[in-house]
Amino acid sequence: MDESLSMLSGKTATAVFDFYESVIEADILNLTGIQVSLIKANGLRLSLNVCCKADLSALVSGDSIRCEKEDDEEYQHLVFEAKEGDRK
């Protein structure tokens, strides 16, 4: 870990974890796969590739969340961006 990086604010870390938890809980019984990517750049970007039966586009709200579906209806890509200082 790069020690020169600053720590995340509690609000940013909580917002990212809450979104991750919402995705998992949306269809935990039918979740067959999840790939997680977390990038810190002017905040935090959580990218999730998810295989499940639920339509996760219902989780999209505002500009901080995007959802894309592939031809395979069970594969979905979600991106959550939390900028430092956001109050979400």
Side-chain angles (χ1 to χ4, degrees):
M1 177 168 202
D2 186 347
E3 292 179 10
S4 67
L5 294 175
S6 62
M7 292 192 63
L8 294 172
S9 72
K11 290 179 183 178
T12 299
T14 298
V16 170
F17 180 78
D18 287 348
F19 178 72
Y20 175 79
E21 185 177 44
S22 296
V23 170
I24 299 301
E25 290 176 352
D27 199 14
I28 196 164
L29 296 177
N30 296 302
L31 186 66
T32 58
I34 186 165
Q35 178 186 21
V36 179
S37 173
L38 192 61
I39 299 168
K40 184 175 180 191
N42 190 23
L44 214 54
R45 182 182 316 140
L46 176 66
S47 296
L48 303 171
N49 293 318
V50 182
C51 288
C52 67
K53 293 182 180 181
D55 181 1
L56 300 177
S57 65
L59 298 174
V60 174
S61 63
D63 295 336
S64 63
I65 302 172
R66 295 187 312 273
C67 180
E68 300 170 358
K69 289 183 132 187
E70 295 291 323
D71 291 335
D72 175 2
E73 292 181 15
E74 292 186 8
Y75 176 80
Q76 299 169 72
H77 176 75
L78 292 101
V79 177
F80 176 79
E81 293 186 74
K83 302 288 185 205
E84 281 297 328
D86 279 358
R87 297 178 185 266
K88 299 197 176 183

